[in-house]
Every structure is written in C-alpha cells, then in structure tokens.
Amino acid sequence: MDITDIIKPGALEGVRVADFGWVLAGPYATMLLGYMGAEVIKIESRRRIDEQRIVHRAGVSDNVDASSNFFEINLNKRSVTLNLSTPEGAALARRIVAQSDIVVENMRPGVMDRLGLGYADLAKVREDIVMVSISGWGQTGPLREYTAYAPCFASFGGLAHMMGYADGEPNTGTSAMDARSGTAAAFAVLMALAIRRRTGQGQYIDMASGEALSCLIGDVTMDYLMNGRSPSRDGNRDAIMAPHNCYRCAGDDQWISIAVGTEAEWEGLCDAMGRPAWTGDADFSGAYERWRHQERLDALVQEWTSAIPAEEVMHRLQKHGVAAVPSFDAERLFDNEHLRERGSITSVEHPVLGERQAISPPWQMSATPPKIDRYAPLLGEHNDYVLREMLGLPDDEIARLVEEKVVY
C-alpha cells in the first residue's frame, strides 16, 4: 500500500458495527466491513468464549489472546466483554446498538430474541438499524434450529456433491465455506446501507449459509432444471476444456494447474512442450477430440511437467499464452514476489503473537482504499472505550458491573 493511502478515508468511514458474531462466518463478514473503514465493536464474553480464541491448528490454548485463528478473522476490531445472559448485559448491548448502524450475528435462530436482542427489540432503540442474521439454514423452515458447521452447509448447498473425484466421497471443503457465507452477508449489508441512505429505512436480513453457497453453482442447477441432469464430481476435469487438470511437477508435492480453452492455446501448449506434431494428431484434432482422449492427453502432459519445477513450467507456458500457475502452499504464497509487490501481504504487530503476516483486503480502491490498521483485539481490550467514552458510564458503575460479572 502506498503511504498516501494510509491517510485516505475508508468507504465506510463513520459507520459503526455491533458485532455479535462468533466462530467464523459472522466475524469474517464484520472484518470485511472493518477493512472498508467501519468501526467494528465485537461484543463477546468470558462466559462463552469465542471458540476461535482457544482452538487453532496447533491445538487448544488456555491463552485467549494468543490464537492465530482468531487473529486471522478479527482484524480491525475492538472488543468489549458483556455477559448477555444478564439483563444488564443485554441492556448495555442495546445501548451500543443504539449508537451503531449495523448489527451482525450468527447465533442459532431464536437466541438473539431470547436475549432481548432480536431485530424487533433493536429496531426500538435504533429505528433505521441494518441487521443481518447468518445461520446454516435460515430463520424459518423445518431445519432452522439444526446445528451447522461449514461441512454441513457445503453439503446442503450442493457444492460438496460437486467437489472431489468421481470414485471418491463428496469433498466438504474447508473453512473457506464460512468465509464465502460471510462475504455474502457483507454484500447484503452494503446493499441495505445503500437503500437506507436513499430511503432512510433500515431492514432485517435473514441469510442462510447453505443458500449462499447454492447461488455459486448456478450452472449446475440450470443444467438440472433445463436438461434433467444432476452433474456430479469429476476431479479437476472440465465439461468442455482439455487439458484441464493439476499435474505433478519436479520436487516434493509440487503441482501446476493447466487449462486450455482455445485452439491458439492448444498450439501454444504444443510449442512450449516441444511437441508441434501433436497438432496433427487425430486424437487431439479439436476441442471435442481432446476432451474425448483426455486420459491419454493428461498422461502425456504429466510426463512432461514431472521433470520440471512448477514455476518454470508456468513461465514456459505463459510465454505461449497458456493459463498455468503452480498450486501454492502457504509458504510459497507468502513468499510470492507478485503478491509482495502488489502489497497483498500486510505485516501486523500483535501484543501477544508478535509480528504476523496477513493477507491484505482483496480490493485495491484508488479513492477509499481498504486496509488493515490494527491487530485482532485482546479480550475486553476496549471495555474502557466502549463503557466510559461511548456509553458515558461513571467509574464506580463500571466497577460494580465488573464485580457482578455483567462486564465479564
């Protein structure tokens, strides 16, 4: 990021978010809003710790401020600790909402209502509030109270059935499914904010993660509706293009993705591989013939790539106009020169974890650049800011609330 971008306002400068999200989809949505300049206040509690604070790839930690998982999805936020199960805790949360523009939550349907924090309650304290509830299956319907993690709504949404090899089980993917749900929620919030700016009216958004994922496979659903076919898993292969696969390269667990869509790209592949005669091979004479004989073609391409490092394969093919890129692991991703030059990696100093690297916001906007300007908050780090500065509580009142574990 250019140094001048640091002082430019974000697109959501002046917008405040009351973040009741936890685990992943909700926190990811609010982090995106924070990237755009919104002030995000994460409302959490020691009574029910966000599991991302204690569970991460290295195992379970007793230190609630030392989780890399929590760090990754809560950048640019403040933290206040309120025990929402107490009437006073819920009342303080409503006072925060009264000074906010957006509410994001991803608790099980009905929980916010029981806490006195449902949309009907919050609209009384902030009439034009925009509120999104993210859940696995939505706020209505027979499955509304069923538990959901990412593998579940990836399966329900239809993606899992499409991913994996033909002779293998459905691939439920990773926590990226939560991030996709969170991204859809952030998009809906931006729409609602734009409408509120035009009409002065807030609104409630009921977003089911399974349905958000179904929207990503429109070609599949259309195929079923028009042709009665229900496409299934086929590994890395495409319904039309060939070669279209991920091929092993020289080195340990090194791979490259190659996709050829046009005759010019096919000829470029043959030239790059030093196999110009393939353009006259009857098995490869046209896209359909290449697709019909893709097993033979994949074996030939694999034989060539397996002797060459992945990045060298990329450069050779790209010089001939062929789409080819290595399949990066995290180490190669963070060391990538292209991403470094574009400012796609941001260094963040965390008081417990030390200096960490984070993937920068995915949009580079010239006038209102999104940015990472603070680490994920320590638990309750901003109690003083929220309770004293925002809500105007006196010191003795705050001390009582702490003593009675309302602020907890």
Side-chain angles (χ1 to χ4, degrees):
M1 174 178 289
D2 189 278
I3 189 66
T4 58
D5 288 342
I6 296 175
I7 60 175
K8 291 179 180 176
L12 296 181
E13 197 82 16
V15 172
R16 179 176 286 152
V17 180
D19 177 8
F20 294 89
W22 77 310
V23 189
L24 216 160
Y28 190 81
T30 51
M31 185 172 72
L32 294 180
L33 300 174
Y35 283 167
M36 290 182 266
E39 180 189 36
V40 180
I41 298 175
K42 184 175 178 65
I43 301 165
E44 51 184 336
S45 172
R46 294 182 184 278
R47 179 178 176 275
R48 189 168 185 247
I49 295 282
D50 188 329
E51 70 174 44
Q52 294 295 310
R53 283 194 176 275
I54 53 177
V55 179
H56 50 98
R57 288 189 182 276
V60 177
S61 171
D62 292 332
N63 189 343
V64 297
D65 293 322
S67 168
S68 54
N69 275 26
F70 187 84
F71 172 90
E72 293 287 344
I73 54 173
N74 287 282
L75 295 161
N76 285 15
K77 300 183 185 179
R78 304 179 192 272
S79 168
V80 62
T81 48
L82 296 178
N83 184 350
L84 299 179
S85 69
T86 67
E88 279 190 294
L92 289 168
R94 285 191 292 272
R95 290 178 64 180
I96 294 172
V97 171
Q99 297 186 45
S100 301
D101 302 280
I102 300 165
V103 172
V104 177
E105 65 95 5
N106 62 322
M107 300 184 191
R108 194 176 298 190
V111 171
M112 290 290 277
D113 290 324
R114 290 196 290 275
L115 294 171
L117 297 168
Y119 178 66
D121 298 298
L122 300 183
K124 293 176 183 173
V125 299
R126 178 71 192 249
E127 186 177 1
D128 63 350
I129 196 75
V130 169
M131 178 174 180
V132 59
S133 293
I134 308 167
S135 61
W137 325 114
Q139 303 296 309
T140 59
L143 303 183
R144 64 186 292 267
E145 292 189 353
Y146 276 25
T147 302
Y149 281 104
C152 304
F153 50 77
S155 299
F156 187 86
L159 262 71
H161 189 73
M162 297 298 303
M163 299 191 299
Y165 289 100
D167 58 351
E169 69 277 14
N171 186 337
T172 55
T174 66
S175 57
M177 298 297 176
D178 281 294
R180 290 174 183 175
S181 173
T183 302
F187 175 74
V189 164
L190 294 178
M191 283 194 297
L193 276 182
I195 292 168
R196 190 181 78 169
R197 181 167 296 181
R198 194 170 68 244
T199 66
Q201 296 181 343
Q203 61 181 299
Y204 178 65
I205 303 162
D206 170 7
M207 208 208 76
S209 296
E211 294 165 18
L213 296 183
S214 293
C215 290
L216 301 177
I217 53 171
D219 58 329
V220 173
T221 52
M222 183 65 74
D223 196 3
Y224 173 72
L225 291 172
M226 294 187 68
N227 305 311
R229 297 185 302 228
S230 184
S232 188
R233 302 172 295 285
D234 199 15
N236 295 316
R237 290 180 173 172
D238 184 69
I240 297 173
M241 298 165 72
H244 186 286
N245 215 325
C246 198
Y247 302 92
R248 185 178 290 280
C249 296
D252 181 30
D253 198 24
Q254 301 298 309
W255 302 83
I256 189 156
S257 293
I258 299 174
V260 171
T262 68
E263 289 305 304
E265 291 166 3
W266 166 243
E267 291 169 6
L269 178 76
C270 295
D271 286 345
M273 294 176 63
R275 305 289 192 277
W278 287 1
T279 57
D281 189 317
D283 282 357
F284 306 144
S285 58
Y288 180 63
E289 290 302 316
R290 290 194 291 276
W291 185 86
R292 282 209 319 132
H293 298 96
Q294 58 187 309
E295 286 193 16
R296 179 190 167 208
L297 183 52
D298 279 344
L300 291 169
V301 174
Q302 171 93 39
E303 181 182 1
W304 178 70
T305 61
S306 62
I308 309 171
E311 295 211 2
E312 185 177 337
V313 174
M314 174 182 71
H315 293 309
R316 286 193 195 182
L317 294 181
Q318 290 283 357
K319 283 180 181 176
H320 288 78
V322 179
V325 174
S327 180
F328 285 156
D329 57 20
E331 180 181 1
R332 297 171 77 194
L333 183 67
F334 278 95
D335 288 342
N336 184 263
E337 180 183 1
H338 175 80
L339 293 178
R340 291 278 176 189
E341 183 176 318
R342 283 178 51 78
S344 300
I345 309 294
T346 300
S347 291
V348 182
E349 190 67 30
H350 188 279
V352 176
L353 296 171
E355 183 179 0
R356 302 298 294 253
Q357 305 289 305
I359 301 293
S360 303
W363 330 277
Q364 298 197 6
M365 301 171 69
S366 60
T368 54
K371 50 184 172 284
I372 298 172
D373 54 17
R374 66 164 292 114
Y375 54 86
L378 309 182
L379 184 61
E381 181 180 358
H382 304 96
N383 283 354
D384 191 66
Y385 164 75
V386 174
L387 300 174
R388 184 176 285 108
E389 294 185 37
M390 271 186 62
L391 303 187
L393 299 183
D395 290 347
D396 58 346
E397 177 70 357
I398 294 173
R400 182 188 67 78
L401 293 168
V402 171
E403 176 67 22
E404 296 178 3
K405 294 188 176 180
V406 173
V407 175
Y408 180 63

